[in-house]
Amino acid sequence: MADAPDQVSITLDGRVVEVPRGALLIAAAIEAGTYIPHFCWHPRMKPVGMCRMCLVEIDTPRGKMLTTSCTTPVADGMVVETSSPVVKKAQEGVIEFLLINHPLDCPVCDKGGECPLQDQTLAYGPGDGRFVEEKRHYPKPIPISDLVALDRERCILCARCTRFSEEISGDPLIEFVDRGNHVEVNTFPNHPFTSYFSGNTVQICPVGALTARPYRFRARPWDLEAVEAVSTVDSVHSKVSLEASMNEIVRISGVDCDPTNQGWLSDKDRFVYEHLLADDRVVVPLIANGDGFREASWGEAVGLAASRLADLGGAVAGLGGARSTNEDAYVFSRFLRGVVGTPHLDAQLDDGLAPEFAAAVEPRALIDDLDDADAILLWGPDLKEELPVLYLRVRKAATAGAKLVVVHPRRTGLDDVAAHTIRYRPGEGPALLRRLAAGEGDLAEARDALGAGKVVALVGRPGLAEPAELAEAVAAFALTLDDARILPLVRRGNVFGALDMGLAPTLLPGRVSVDDAERRRALAARWGSLPDGVGMGATDILEAAASGRIGALVLLGVDPVRDHPRPDLARRALERAFVVALDLFVTDSTRHADVVLPVAGLGEIQGTVTNLEGRVQKLNRVVPPPGQARPAWSILDDLAAALGSELEADAVEKIFEELATLAPAYEGLTWDRFDWAEGRDGVVVPLEGVTPPLRHVPSDPGLAVVSERPALHLARVLYDDGVLVRHCPSLASLAPEAAAHLHPRDASVLAVREGDRVRLEGVGVVELPVVLDPTLAEGTVYVPFNLAETAALGAVPSVRIDVVREAGS
Amino acid sequence: MSWFAGLLGPWRGFAVTLRQMFRPKVTTQYPEEKRVKPQRFHGRHVLNRYPDGMEKCIGCELCAGVCPARCIYVRGADNPPEDPVSPGERFGYVYEINMLRCIFCALCVEACPTEAITMTHLFEMSVTSREDAIYTKDELLVEPDGTPRHPQPEGPLVDLDELRRGHGWLRATAPSGRAAYEGIVAWTPSATYGEPPPERGQAGVTDETDGES
């Protein structure tokens, strides 16, 4: 009998093993080293016992009995046989049964070569079938969404996909229909499988019934070369394997990393690799030539950029770095501060949070804190649209019992599992926060839910028209609760890494304030020099550039014309200043550049990145960069050399070593640490025993209430018209239709119906069709951010609405 | 007597030469005359078609996966539904063999699930550049009637009829290699040589029509 209270001992094929109490037999056996074949059981989902492949023999008072090990919890003293003749016969029977109708088209099946059914037929099957009749035939393949194709002939009805949609992603758009011999997986009539997570069902399908259309027939498993990396699409940094064939990434699969994505990915994470293969990728240095560009040599392009930057002295500013690796961001920070000598640099575009808050908020939560939280406060972006994998984690915690309070101007993806949903008009957040803190009226229950036990506060900007300080105010409220931790939410790729590398006017590398004299001296000793004073943030930089006070801008993977709340300002700034852009594409912003230098993208470089909880993980390289593209740190090293300085950036390991010694929060990290043991799941900085100098405890900024109507709710959607999505053919078509969403009562006041067109005037003017949305707070217009039609609007607290009347009506 | 034997020695040598002069010659006047190759000779590959002209290759890349010399490059693509190239969903969109790397082991032939790739008796593959040694689908795929294509079809060395004599390996083993398949046609018909005769010879039965063609 087991000694530890949470362990039980079972006899597994004659071997006594200790397993965790309450575990399922199949999980316990696999953990103990005895593999039990299975199709329907998945460690991250509830068991169903559908496929019968995991049958084992268990001693019962009535003799030995065959039972499914995926539905049987272990019990103390249980005696289990996993390979007795009876079990073998059962397994052979199950395989033979599953193959009765399974077509043997393995050579053309995308799953062939990595197929659990293939593998287990070889390992546990009878080797022959007695069924000689004609197999079932269905039309195939059926496209059930733009990304997924269904082949019913291959389906073995394991219910993995249907359970995933219902249990994990919460959008049950794929279901079993009919009964008995006619059971089949189907979508609802006229409703495609438009889940943001549909790619996961392809990955967990144990046969080739669900296949990814972008990957269809692109490669076979045996010619894929795979490395581990993380998805830098958003700041959750889901672990992925990048799989390449013939030097092209053709597939991204989720890897189960317990602290982050737990195996799941959003479809954007999964199919974003397409942008790397886009035809219009910049692969040679470009120099502005009339309206367009001409190709140039590295020497000429770098020489031109360096000579202009040198002429301008310190009137230079840097933007970007939030899509790059930590090493790129660190070298960018050192290049701007140490070589160019400018304090004006910003990784964000005033579309995120205050740098000190995002980089150094205390006490900071881990994603894992969600799992044992009693309550979760989400006052920030719609996670399903901005950080979809975090949405899955919050959903998991909420369905497991944590009380979720969602505060947002309109319905979010998490409302279904929320204990309390609170709507408010953008601008009136501070007033609502005061009422929530006091537990007034209808908010009393939500306040009570947050009052007891461990709370995780997920705070960010619900929409771009709302101020970044709102998050600070919400966090300050959260800290008045007993036991609250804060997880700051900003979407863009490696924005937290960039802030940690000092890419903000008020921060130096390693969570250090620019006022910290001692750290300044240490940095200046290594970097040579450090400019005095606090620099300008993104908006001030753009204003200075538009007015000519800043002569040159260095852009590192950033698109201010699309991402800054004031697109007109960004355009004027870029038109006036001398612009050096390090980018993958000629974007709406880099179109105005004087020099465009091609950088390498995901899977083409090594490096580390830091996610929203401060977890540092490593990206590996699987393909060479196309053409003459190079890592950004190497380009910046060349630029520095042309300016007569030495950045010592000649290998990514060396840069990492340098930043680990100079950035206090990264103290103690080593390059090798990410490849082995627990370091493979990443390392949360600061390490234990390391205290970074800057610790930001939020305090109420005393925000004013803005109650102009109609308030603008300008929020990001997963598939927008951003640079990455636009260059992924499979994703670009998934962008929602641009529309002005109005509450039906507001619409009736304006006398517009669904489909009528309205003209919205913010920073710019856009004309959009009306969509009625009863879930929206009254007096609010919701417009998706950064779609082709909405890009000009800009983020303002309130817009002017004019109804466009058709001539003659 | 040893001095006499030593005197005769050279003449005995000449006797060998003299004897050979009256025996049948083994030299063939290549290229005017060609030796008949053994039936299972591994010559250059072809991609076969079904009798209706459809390509047999489905682009599954098993040949590329099994190739020990890594000389095969295959890419599959979706079959256009209105004008399918091969039966089923997928066809071989790109098919290339680098003949300089190929070691003619025929593992690709064994791996092929549709008997699309087979080896012929054609062996004249001299080229004037390395690029030309990479045979693409243009060279590998047979004509709709089954005639193999050749980079220099008019050349004096080319005997396209050799393909028809070159399917000996096909009859070497049944798909599963089992004697139980004797007498059963286990191969799909092909535009090249129609329906192959049934399997025989596995259980020690000699085939009087077998042998060199």
Side-chain angles (χ1 to χ4, degrees):
Chain A
M1 295 295 118
D3 303 325
D6 54 345
Q7 299 265 307
V8 293
S9 75
I10 61 169
T11 309
L12 197 59
D13 294 335
R15 185 163 66 95
V16 179
V17 291
E18 304 269 303
V19 297
R21 184 183 294 276
L24 291 171
L25 181 52
I26 189 168
I30 291 174
E31 184 66 34
T34 300
Y35 184 75
I36 298 176
H38 58 269
F39 296 111
C40 69
W41 179 72
H42 188 282
R44 296 281 178 194
M45 295 195 289
K46 288 188 199 118
V48 279
M50 204 99 171
C51 71
R52 320 309 289 177
M53 192 61 207
C54 65
L55 288 171
V56 292
E57 247 186 320
I58 298 178
D59 271 354
T60 70
R62 285 177 293 167
K64 288 191 169 189
M65 188 181 79
L66 271 180
T67 187
T68 50
S69 56
C70 73
T71 54
T72 311
V74 288
D76 210 9
M78 194 179 242
V79 179
V80 184
E81 289 287 334
T82 69
S83 54
S84 64
V86 177
V87 172
K88 286 242 172 277
K89 187 162 186 233
Q91 286 171 342
E92 289 182 1
V94 170
I95 290 276
E96 189 182 354
F97 174 72
L98 291 177
L99 290 178
I100 282 179
N101 275 315
H102 189 85
L104 298 180
D105 60 353
C106 306
V108 298
C109 175
D110 272 339
K111 204 81 179 181
E114 54 180 7
C115 173
L117 182 59
Q118 246 184 352
D119 294 348
Q120 292 181 32
T121 300
L122 198 66
Y124 303 97
D128 237 332
R130 286 164 287 178
F131 188 83
V132 293
E133 289 78 6
E134 184 73 12
K135 299 193 182 210
R136 244 179 357 196
H137 289 291
Y138 290 118
K140 68 178 203 174
I142 305 165
I144 55 170
S145 79
D146 286 339
L147 296 171
V148 180
L150 168 66
D151 184 325
R152 289 209 183 92
E153 291 180 1
R154 294 178 189 151
C155 179
I156 58 166
L157 305 175
C158 71
R160 273 189 172 189
C161 53
T162 57
R163 279 181 297 149
F164 172 84
S165 306
E166 204 174 314
E167 270 176 55
I168 310 286
S169 73
D171 37 18
L173 297 168
I174 183 165
E175 245 325 327
F176 282 135
V177 295
D178 228 321
R179 285 286 176 273
N181 192 29
H182 302 289
V183 176
E184 59 182 42
V185 166
N186 210 337
T187 50
F188 294 94
N190 304 321
H191 205 302
F193 184 36
T194 50
S195 167
Y196 284 171
F197 305 96
S198 62
N200 293 302
T201 61
V202 172
Q203 191 176 338
I204 60 175
C205 182
V207 293
L210 294 170
T211 49
R213 295 174 71 196
Y215 174 68
R216 188 172 158 83
F217 302 160
R218 288 293 305 277
R220 310 296 325 260
W222 53 84
D223 56 39
L224 293 176
E225 188 190 341
V227 298
E228 272 190 5
V230 299
S231 173
T232 50
V233 163
D234 60 41
S235 59
V236 174
H237 291 176
S238 309
K239 190 149 212 113
V240 296
S241 87
L242 305 175
E243 293 160 27
S245 171
M246 300 299 287
N247 281 340
E248 284 182 0
I249 295 183
V250 294
R251 185 168 74 170
I252 293 181
S253 303
V255 175
D256 196 326
C257 173
D258 194 60
T260 58
N261 61 322
Q262 306 195 332
W264 314 124
L265 294 182
S266 74
D267 287 352
K268 192 170 169 185
D269 293 323
R270 193 177 294 274
F271 299 112
V272 77
Y273 63 85
E274 288 181 346
H275 80 271
L276 296 167
L277 310 172
D279 291 336
D280 55 346
R281 199 161 151 200
V282 180
V283 292
V284 286
L286 301 175
I287 290 179
N289 182 22
D291 283 341
F293 290 99
R294 67 178 170 84
E295 297 186 357
S297 70
W298 275 104
E300 189 189 359
V302 168
L304 172 66
S307 70
R308 291 297 301 272
L309 292 182
D311 292 346
L312 286 162
V316 175
L319 288 175
R323 292 199 188 286
S324 316
T325 61
N326 289 343
E327 289 73 20
D328 288 344
Y330 172 79
V331 172
F332 192 45
S333 176
R334 181 170 171 179
F335 172 77
L336 289 168
R337 286 202 168 103
V339 178
V340 178
T342 175
H344 313 304
L345 71 180
D346 204 341
Q348 302 187 83
L349 293 166
D350 275 328
D351 59 346
L353 298 176
E356 302 81 25
F357 180 81
V361 66
E362 291 279 340
R364 192 163 176 162
L366 297 179
I367 298 175
D368 270 348
D369 286 332
L370 292 168
D371 290 342
D372 54 0
D374 296 297
I376 300 167
L377 169 65
L378 169 61
W379 191 329
D382 185 351
L383 289 185
K384 200 172 181 179
E385 302 287 347
E386 294 208 10
L387 299 163
V389 175
L390 188 61
Y391 155 86
L392 295 181
R393 292 294 305 266
V394 175
R395 194 175 183 282
K396 180 183 167 199
T399 46
K403 290 197 193 102
L404 174 65
V405 179
V406 180
V407 189
H408 198 80
R410 68 189 283 261
R411 186 190 160 74
T412 72
L414 282 164
D415 282 15
D416 289 339
V417 291
H420 304 281
T421 55
I422 302 168
R423 301 242 191 283
Y424 72 105
R425 190 158 50 238
E428 295 182 355
L432 175 71
L433 184 61
R434 274 191 288 279
R435 288 180 54 229
L436 177 63
E440 275 175 32
D442 54 338
L443 301 177
E445 281 181 34
R447 178 66 184 79
D448 288 346
L450 296 170
K454 182 175 170 181
V455 178
V456 175
L458 305 162
V459 294
R461 241 161 123 167
L464 276 90
E466 289 180 79
E469 292 79 28
L470 180 63
E472 176 98 15
V474 174
F477 157 67
L479 291 187
T480 64
L481 305 171
D482 285 343
D483 175 18
R485 286 161 183 278
I486 294 155
L487 196 60
L489 306 177
V490 190
R491 173 171 89 160
R492 194 169 293 124
N494 190 30
V495 65
F496 291 93
L499 295 174
D500 280 355
M501 294 302 116
L503 285 180
T506 52
L507 293 178
L508 292 178
R511 301 184 190 166
V512 177
S513 163
V514 280
D515 309 325
D516 192 330
E518 189 194 329
R519 296 288 173 185
R520 285 182 70 89
R521 271 196 298 281
L523 264 188
R526 182 72 189 250
W527 286 5
S529 67
L530 206 58
D532 292 327
V534 179
M536 295 186 278
T539 305
D540 292 338
I541 288 174
L542 291 174
E543 260 167 10
S547 67
R549 281 178 289 128
I550 289 274
L553 292 172
V554 185
L555 307 181
L556 175 56
V558 70
D559 188 359
V561 173
R562 280 311 188 89
D563 287 333
H564 192 272
R566 289 167 59 189
D568 60 320
L569 171 68
R571 189 172 296 109
R572 278 187 286 122
L574 294 171
E575 275 168 5
R576 177 137 186 205
F578 176 78
V579 178
V580 182
L582 283 72
D583 213 313
L584 294 167
F585 296 101
V586 173
T587 63
D588 285 2
S589 299
T590 58
R591 206 153 54 81
H592 304 293
D594 298 272
V595 180
V596 182
L597 303 172
V599 293
L602 181 69
E604 298 166 358
I605 42 165
Q606 273 199 318
T608 61
V609 286
T610 308
N611 81 348
L612 76 182
E613 51 177 352
R615 184 176 300 278
V616 184
Q617 287 170 283
K618 191 169 164 190
L619 302 173
N620 284 306
R621 174 185 150 131
V622 66
V623 292
Q628 300 178 28
R630 290 160 59 189
W633 54 262
S634 149
I635 300 173
L636 292 167
D637 191 50
D638 274 11
L639 267 172
L643 286 165
S645 296
E646 176 62 53
L647 277 183
E648 307 161 61
D650 44 25
V652 70
E653 296 91 334
K654 231 179 115 182
I655 302 167
F656 184 79
E657 215 171 87
E658 183 181 324
L659 78 86
T661 47
L662 281 178
Y666 286 65
E667 204 180 300
L669 289 186
T670 53
W671 180 253
D672 299 336
R673 183 161 183 164
F674 306 106
D675 295 334
W676 306 104
E678 68 270 28
R680 275 186 63 200
D681 284 350
V683 180
V684 176
V685 291
L687 298 179
E688 218 160 291
V690 177
T691 316
L694 180 65
R695 297 158 68 83
H696 180 81
V697 180
S699 59
D700 190 358
L703 265 185
V705 176
V706 181
S707 43
E708 283 172 65
R709 287 186 180 216
L712 174 63
H713 177 53
L714 186 66
R716 294 177 195 279
V717 286
L718 187 67
Y719 306 122
D720 55 12
D721 193 43
V723 184
L724 293 188
V725 174
R726 206 186 316 152
H727 286 97
C728 297
S730 307
L731 300 181
S733 60
L734 301 176
E737 244 163 71
H741 297 243
L742 293 172
H743 191 278
R745 268 194 285 274
D746 293 332
S748 69
V749 171
L750 287 167
V752 289
R753 277 170 305 181
E754 182 135 348
D756 287 353
R757 296 187 73 82
V758 288
R759 190 177 294 124
L760 303 182
E761 192 181 330
V763 171
V765 180
V766 296
E767 197 184 302
L768 297 170
V770 169
V771 167
L772 299 187
D773 183 355
T775 75
L776 186 64
E778 274 185 61
T780 309
V781 191
Y782 161 60
V783 177
F785 180 62
N786 200 11
L787 296 176
E789 298 86 347
T790 66
L793 183 63
V796 285
S798 169
V799 290
R800 197 187 131 94
I801 304 183
D802 293 310
V803 182
V804 181
R805 303 285 176 203
E806 305 263 326
S809 69
Chain B
M1 288 302 278
S2 60
W3 63 271
F4 186 68
L7 213 62
L8 269 180
W11 296 107
R12 280 166 66 176
F14 284 132
V16 173
T17 310
L18 213 64
R19 197 161 59 241
Q20 292 299 331
M21 283 173 71
F22 298 101
R23 291 205 174 159
K25 291 192 266 297
V26 292
T27 313
T28 48
Q29 291 304 310
Y30 178 83
E32 288 81 22
E33 284 172 35
K34 286 187 176 176
R35 286 245 309 262
V36 171
K37 266 80 71 182
Q39 190 179 17
R40 292 176 197 171
F41 180 84
H42 291 180
R44 64 155 264 217
H45 316 73
V46 284
L47 288 173
N48 293 303
R49 290 179 190 266
Y50 290 101
D52 62 0
M54 286 258 227
E55 289 176 19
K56 285 189 170 184
C57 178
I58 52 172
C60 73
E61 299 186 28
L62 281 167
C63 47
V66 78
C67 180
R70 297 272 190 120
C71 68
I72 307 182
Y73 173 54
V74 188
R75 285 285 114 141
D78 247 313
N79 241 334
E82 67 286 349
D83 184 22
V85 179
S86 71
E89 293 173 58
R90 178 172 172 146
F91 78 103
Y93 173 63
V94 177
Y95 201 109
E96 291 175 1
I97 302 179
N98 187 339
M99 291 298 179
L100 289 175
R101 287 195 192 170
C102 179
I103 57 169
F104 298 91
C105 66
L107 280 179
C108 50
V109 176
E110 282 193 51
C112 186
T114 61
E115 302 137 43
I117 186 162
T118 59
M119 285 180 142
T120 63
H121 282 184
L122 298 169
F123 64 96
E124 294 102 341
M125 288 176 283
S126 54
V127 287
T128 50
S129 76
R130 286 179 175 272
E131 287 74 33
D132 288 351
I134 299 170
Y135 276 44
T136 63
K137 249 180 108 172
D138 284 343
E139 285 92 38
L140 290 169
L141 191 66
V142 297
E143 300 286 354
D145 68 348
T147 318
R149 292 181 189 157
H150 198 281
Q152 296 96 28
E154 309 298 326
L157 302 181
V158 179
D159 178 7
L160 296 180
D161 202 40
E162 289 211 55
L163 174 75
R164 291 190 166 72
R165 305 194 294 262
H167 59 280
W169 67 271
L170 261 184
R171 305 178 62 199
T173 51
S176 64
R178 289 191 199 178
Y181 280 83
E182 210 170 310
I184 295 170
V185 180
W187 304 98
T188 55
S190 159
T192 316
Y193 34 72
E195 180 159 324
E199 185 69 17
R200 50 196 316 177
Q202 292 278 326
V205 182
T206 53
D207 184 346
E208 59 282 359
T209 66
D210 257 7
E212 293 187 345
S213 50

